[in-house]
Amino acid sequence: MNITINLNLKIMKKSVLTIMVLFLAITTTNASSKNIKRTEITTRYADVSPFCKLIQSGNYEAVKAMIESGVDINKKSTGLTPLMFAARYNKAKIAKLLIERGAKLKVKSDNGFTALKYAQLSKATDALAVIEEALNS
């Protein structure tokens, strides 16, 4: 009887160890893939110009100050113009400022989209209205 109990305990230990190893392997794989994705997002965000980061965050006063200091309002960052960033993130007030200061409305991104298209794709209704008004005037 002792032999049977010892044998059963050995089998249970092996089963538990196997399950633990599998669990750790799955957990580690998921964690490392999440880290890769997080790194890719961070890297993409890190490549965005400071001017376009300000637009993304909606910092109107800082954007205005940079325009007044001579920043190129049509210079692409990660393939998008500043107006495209304003459109994509629904920053209507900033979009209006950029347009008033000479942002080009019909320029296409590296993906072939205009600021208008980015506003449509992002369902950025406020920015979309500003861009459509500028295109129609």
Side-chain angles (χ1 to χ4, degrees), residues 103-133:
K104 296 177 182 174
L105 294 164
K106 296 184 180 182
V107 171
K108 292 188 177 180
S109 70
D110 291 356
N111 293 330
F113 300 132
T114 62
L116 179 71
K117 187 65 175 177
Y118 278 105
Q120 291 168 339
L121 291 170
S122 301
K123 296 180 178 31
T125 55
D126 299 333
L128 180 63
V130 168
I131 295 167
E132 285 177 334
E133 181 182 327

Side-chain angles (χ1 to χ4, degrees), residues 1-13:
M1 182 141 158
N2 281 341
I3 296 173
T4 306
I5 293 174
N6 286 339
L7 186 59
N8 285 338
L9 284 175
K10 284 182 182 180
I11 293 171
M12 284 177 53
K13 284 181 184 179

Side-chain angles (χ1 to χ4, degrees), residues 60-80:
Y60 179 84
E61 292 302 321
V63 170
K64 184 177 177 184
M66 286 190 75
I67 291 171
E68 289 171 358
S69 71
V71 72
D72 181 353
I73 61 170
N74 289 302
K75 184 177 181 184
K76 289 183 180 179
S77 175
T78 65
L80 306 176

